[in-house]
Structures are given as C-alpha cells and as structure tokens.
Amino acid sequence: MSKKFPIALTVAGTDPTGGAGVLTDIKAFHSREVYGMSAVTSLTAQNTLGVQDVYNIPVDFLNAQLTSIFDDELPDAMKSGMIATADMMEVIKGFVEKYRIPYVIDPVMIATSGDNLIDDKAIDYLRDHLIQTALCITPNIIEAERLSGLSIKTEEDINRAAKIFINDLGVQSVIIKGGHLKGDAVDYLFTKEHVQRLSSERIDTNHTHGTGCTFSAVITAEIAKGKSLESAFKTGKNYITNAIKNTPGIGKGNGPVNHFSYKGE
Ligand SMILES: Nc1ncnc2c1ncn2[C@@H]1O[C@H](COP(=O)(O)OP(=O)(O)OP(=O)(O)O)[C@@H](O)[C@H]1O
Ligand SMILES: Cc1ncc(CO)c(N)n1
C-alpha cells in the first residue's frame, strides 16, 4: 500500500513542557500535514523558566531507535536539534549518508534560557564533520559565531560568516537567523549561487521558547513535501512570525509558540 502523507523525522531532545525539541517539531510537522517520526537524543527536565536537568540517551539506544525507523520506512526528510555528544553525531551521520535523506540541521547549542545543551567536543564534531552532510543548516547568531569563529553584529558580518560556512566549512546552504539582533527579525538563506533575505517586524515578546526548533521543523516538513528550499524558507518564516504573534501564553517564563494559528501556504 502506498503511503498517504509525506514523512518527516526529527532527531532531537525532549522538553516535557512541549515548547522546544521533539514535541514542538512534531506539532509543526502535524500542522503542515506531514506525518512525524522521532528519535530522542536526550531527555531534558526543562520548562519555560530554564533547564533543570538533562539525561543523555545511551548512544547504542539512539542507534536502535534510528534502526527501527529506517528498517521500516524511509522518511522524506529529517532534521536534528539538540545532539549532546560527538558520539551521537557520528551515529546520525552514518544514517544520513547511508540513506541519503534530505537533512536540515538546527545546530542547537544553548537553550533560550542560556543553559548549555551540548558539549565542546560535540560543537567541534558538528563544525568539522556533521554540517557537511546537510542540505541546510539554520544557526542563530550565537551558533553562527561559534561555528564560523566571527563576531556577528551587522549584515556585513552575516555575509562574511556565510562565506566561511560555504567556502571554508563546505556547507551546501545556510540560513542565518537574525532573531537575536536588534531591529526587524531578518533571516538570510545563502547558497553558493544566491542570497534570499526575509524580514518581518520584531514582535515585542519574551515568548520565543522553541522558535528555532519550530522554524527548522516547518522547513523540514516542506522539504518532505518536495518543496524547494527557497519556498520552504518562506513558509518557515511566515509560520514562525504568526506563531510568535499568537503566543498561547503558557508558563511563567519564556513561553512557547502557537501551532494552531498559521493557515497559509
Ligand atoms: N521577537 C521576534 N519577532 C519576530 N520574529 C522573531 C523574534 N524572535 C525570533 N524570531 C524569528 O524566529 C525564528 C527563530 O530565530 P531565533 O534566532 O529565535 O532562533 P533560535 O535562537 O535558534 O531559537 P530557540 O529559542 O529555539 O533557541 C527566526 O525566523 C527569527 O527571525
Ligand atoms: C530539547 C531542546 N532542544 C532545543 C532547545 C533550544 O530551544 C531546547 N531548549 N531544548
């Protein structure tokens, strides 16, 4: 029997309050009418106030989860979020290379609350071995600084960092998210051939927990449908702007975004 929906896989950590990580990814896939699958890298104890504890899944068990998925059905696209260790990254790289699956990397390093989510060895492995396997990587400013080695304050700095990603680090394409800069919320997609700049008004809110996860999950869902990266980027940007604007107002701290409100293309 042929499958009725595109399938997207997320490989990421969990947030029990559902604002970031695997749960927000699955909500975004569902909202975009894409069937969601997940392999969990870490269980976190966190909420809108911060990260209280982290339990990393043993690397063999991450391998077992991915084997269960890939032995049964091939997802149309996958993304990763929090991957706490280089050992886990090596396992994930093996599956991406074996199955040649379109792969979006959200290079998660630090939670919105400021807590570290991955170790230094993992950041080095990400930069030197993993990001090259992706169709696209989606760093925020802090992650782009850490991976490129540049300090990023202006649009010119963003252009310079993109050149490092593409020319020196061998990345196919990169979306640098300007959510952490001042002024409008501007994101940039760089490929070898062109730059696409998408801008939205900055929404005055602290309810931005899981925005990066959600944005990359929507992009992955659109790629799973066979959409171009340029079109997926537009949908991701429209979705996240709407989702932040319509915050459901959950929790005592940096609340999550709304997965019910965006009805556009
Ligand atoms: N206050 C805001 N108003 C409008 N758009 C925003 C705002 N904050 C972030 N965005 C948008 O949300 C998306 C995610 O960007 P951001 O830089 O917040 O990612 P992130 O830091 O990786 O998120 P996370 O909180 O999951 O770690 C981008 O499209 C960015 O432009
Ligand atoms: C599990 C997880 N992934 C990603 C982030 C980044 O928002 C987070 N806070 N928690």
Side-chain angles (χ1 to χ4, degrees):
M1 191 173 160
S2 65
K3 65 186 172 73
K4 293 198 167 66
F5 296 101
I7 300 172
L9 164 65
T10 175
V11 184
T14 63
D15 161 5
T17 59
V22 165
L23 287 168
T24 205
D25 291 343
I26 296 290
K27 292 174 196 177
F29 294 163
H30 188 82
S31 165
R32 297 306 302 159
E33 296 189 27
V34 168
Y35 184 93
M37 294 183 175
S38 71
V40 176
T41 53
S42 297
L43 303 173
T44 76
Q46 69 173 298
N47 53 28
T48 63
L49 298 168
V51 179
Q52 289 82 43
D53 210 347
V54 175
Y55 173 78
N56 292 337
I57 299 298
V59 71
D60 287 349
F61 201 80
L62 173 63
N63 187 51
Q65 294 176 72
L66 289 167
T67 303
S68 296
I69 291 168
F70 283 91
D71 278 355
D72 198 20
E73 186 72 76
L74 194 61
D76 298 290
M78 72 177 259
K79 67 157 277 189
S80 62
M82 171 187 181
I83 315 172
T85 68
D87 287 352
M88 289 188 194
M89 290 184 183
E90 202 176 340
V91 165
I92 294 163
K93 179 173 151 72
F95 281 90
V96 173
E97 288 179 342
K98 180 167 175 195
Y99 293 97
R100 298 175 167 276
I101 180 165
Y103 177 29
V104 175
I105 297 182
D106 182 14
V108 169
M109 294 177 193
I110 305 168
T112 312
S113 53
D115 297 276
N116 278 334
L117 295 172
I118 81 173
D119 66 30
D120 283 349
K121 237 176 98 187
I123 296 179
D124 291 347
Y125 191 93
L126 182 63
R127 183 193 58 224
D128 298 336
H129 304 288
L130 196 63
I131 56 179
Q132 295 74 14
T133 65
L135 168 70
C136 183
I137 66 168
T138 63
N140 64 23
I141 293 293
I142 299 150
E143 292 152 358
E145 287 186 326
R146 182 68 209 265
L147 293 169
S148 69
L150 293 182
S151 158
I152 302 176
K153 302 261 181 307
T154 62
E155 195 162 5
E156 208 166 278
D157 296 337
I158 288 181
N159 277 304
R160 286 197 295 143
K163 285 208 174 79
I164 293 182
F165 278 115
I166 290 174
N167 298 339
D168 301 348
L169 295 173
V171 164
Q172 282 185 54
S173 69
V174 54
I175 294 174
I176 302 183
K177 300 170 294 189
H180 295 259
L181 289 178
K182 296 210 164 54
D184 286 346
V186 187
D187 304 331
Y188 307 79
L189 164 63
F190 296 89
T191 64
K192 259 202 168 68
E193 292 79 30
H194 79 287
V195 186
Q196 185 183 356
R197 181 183 186 278
L198 294 180
S199 177
S200 70
E201 64 188 290
R202 173 167 303 278
I203 302 149
D204 185 18
T205 177
N206 64 340
H207 293 278
T208 55
H209 179 59
T211 49
C213 305
T214 302
F215 175 70
S216 58
V218 172
I219 291 172
T220 307
E222 298 307 301
I223 299 287
K225 292 174 186 168
K227 297 284 167 72
S228 69
L229 184 55
E230 290 74 13
S231 151
F233 176 36
K234 270 191 206 147
T235 304
K237 183 68 172 164
N238 291 338
Y239 187 103
I240 197 64
T241 306
N242 177 289
I244 298 170
K245 234 181 235 166
N246 293 292
T247 172
I250 288 168
K252 297 187 177 75
N254 298 120
V257 301
N258 190 333
H259 287 286
F260 296 119
S261 50
Y262 185 71
K263 305 289 178 212
E265 271 307 297

